[in-house]
Amino acid sequence: MGVNKHFFAAFAAFFIWGFFGLALKPLTDYPSLDILFYRIFLSVAIMGLINTIFRRKKLKENWINFNLLTPNQKKKSIILTLSGSVLIALNWFVFIYVVNHVSLKAASLAYMICPILTTVLAFFILKEKLSNWQWFAVFVSSIGCGLLSINHVEDIFFSFITAATYALYLISQRNNNHIDKFLSLSIQLAIIAIIILPFYPNFSGVIPVSSLFYFYILIIVLFFTIVPLFLNLYALKGINSSTVGILMYINPIINFSIAVLIYHESVTLLQMISYFLIFLAVIIFNEKLIFKKSN
């Protein structure tokens, strides 16, 4: 039952992220960096308020538990939290660079490569075991990604770098269990805010005055930043990184469906085959949980 609960948390995180484009679409007139700045700063402010108003007892418990850790455990916890902050900050920065200076296709391809990369890295770094069916799912998803990368070989390098930063973030947080997940996420976002703060004066645009901008930023912060990131970290408490990684495909599958069904974007037969193979790979990878087979 515990596994199903954590599996659902991972599924919900990427399902929610699949609709991120609907919140971003009304903000197309605003620079990407401005959206990032306000997204992070407001996330830190809201999480800080939640921690200080509603989670004081939990904060005290975390401080007591942290002081009971051995020096090595404290060091490991601090390193994993800091490295998680750096990795997710790098992921967001690289993603924006790729979108603005390389191509949207490279950015999209990055999140198609990421689940495969997460699964393979988790196998080698965390020694997570994969069944033959799961390896077959990785193979099927690789074919799907390969089809999508046809005629875009030059984008693969940038896609790989973007994917690697998030894959390493997931893997690093798999063993970061000594700090409450909500507090851990709060600390990581606060560190990211500190990292980007010096860039704000030179790289931000004119301060937005439209109430609509702040309305959509609030939606992005609550429903597309804090909730899914927390669900992601929570899921890692009960299922391995490779499972969380492969469920990431839910995000681009929903994005693809919204692009076709809502925004009526054109789609090729090759794209349809690719996304069908990726959807099939998610089913195959999680066949024991989906079909409730016994081990």
Side-chain angles (χ1 to χ4, degrees):
M1 186 65 187
V3 172
N4 289 334
K5 183 171 61 176
H6 293 98
F7 177 87
F8 177 76
F11 178 90
F14 295 116
F15 182 82
I16 291 168
W17 265 325
F19 295 91
F20 192 14
L22 295 177
L24 281 176
K25 203 73 172 175
L27 299 177
T28 50
D29 293 335
Y30 296 91
S32 299
L33 274 177
D34 276 2
I35 295 171
L36 178 66
F37 284 137
Y38 288 98
R39 177 188 184 186
I40 293 172
F41 294 149
L42 189 56
S43 294
V44 172
I46 289 174
M47 295 189 79
L49 285 173
I50 292 172
N51 278 310
T52 53
I53 296 174
F54 302 107
R55 305 184 80 247
R56 288 183 184 177
K57 185 177 179 182
K58 200 71 177 176
L59 290 176
K60 290 179 181 177
E61 288 176 5
N62 271 270
W63 179 247
I64 292 169
N65 291 335
F66 183 78
N67 285 320
L68 292 175
L69 298 176
T70 65
N72 284 338
Q73 288 175 323
K74 287 181 181 178
K75 183 179 178 181
K76 180 182 177 182
S77 183
I78 292 170
I79 290 173
L80 287 175
T81 302
L82 290 175
S83 62
S85 304
V86 172
L87 286 168
I88 201 165
L90 278 174
N91 177 259
W92 288 350
F93 274 121
V94 173
F95 181 78
I96 288 174
Y97 175 83
V98 171
V99 169
N100 290 337
H101 301 287
V102 183
S103 71
L104 283 170
K105 291 184 179 68
S108 300
L109 186 59
Y111 287 99
M112 305 303 284
I113 296 173
C114 191
I116 301 170
L117 197 58
T118 303
T119 303
V120 174
L121 289 176
F123 175 78
F124 287 106
I125 296 174
L126 299 178
K127 310 299 180 186
E128 292 183 356
K129 302 295 183 182
L130 296 176
S131 68
N132 291 334
W133 277 109
Q134 288 175 320
W135 278 118
F136 179 63
V138 172
F139 174 71
V140 171
S141 62
S142 300
I143 293 174
C145 290
L147 292 174
L148 286 174
S149 66
I150 291 175
N151 299 324
H152 304 290
V153 178
E154 70 280 2
D155 294 340
I156 291 178
F157 171 76
F158 295 100
S159 299
F160 182 84
I161 298 299
T162 309
T165 51
Y166 195 74
L168 288 170
Y169 171 73
L170 285 178
I171 290 169
S172 69
Q173 299 311 294
R174 177 71 174 93
N175 293 323
N176 190 11
N177 296 318
H178 295 303
I179 302 176
D180 171 72
K181 292 300 183 183
F182 192 88
L183 177 59
S184 176
L185 180 59
S186 302
I187 294 170
Q188 288 176 345
L189 288 175
I191 292 171
I192 294 171
I194 292 169
I195 292 172
I196 69 169
L197 189 59
F199 299 96
Y200 178 77
N202 294 324
F203 293 95
S204 63
V206 177
I207 297 176
V209 294
S210 170
S211 58
L212 204 61
F213 172 83
Y214 294 102
F215 171 75
Y216 280 108
I217 287 293
L218 184 61
I219 289 175
I220 288 170
V221 166
L222 292 175
F223 299 108
F224 298 105
T225 303
I226 295 174
V227 171
L229 279 175
F230 173 72
L231 288 173
N232 236 193
L233 292 178
Y234 176 77
L236 288 169
K237 292 174 65 177
I239 57 177
N240 57 34
S241 302
S242 55
T243 302
V244 174
I246 210 74
L247 285 173
M248 199 182 301
Y249 278 131
I250 294 164
N251 183 347
I253 288 170
I254 293 174
N255 284 335
F256 179 76
S257 302
I258 288 173
V260 174
L261 299 175
I262 295 179
Y263 296 115
H264 306 293
E265 294 182 9
S266 59
V267 57
T268 65
L269 179 61
L270 187 64
Q271 288 175 318
M272 291 182 68
I273 294 171
S274 301
Y275 277 91
F276 173 75
L277 288 174
I278 288 165
F279 176 74
L280 190 63
V282 175
I283 301 296
I284 294 170
F285 192 93
N286 297 290
E287 48 96 22
K288 283 188 178 179
L289 283 171
I290 293 171
F291 300 108
K292 296 182 180 178
K293 288 184 178 180
S294 57
N295 292 322

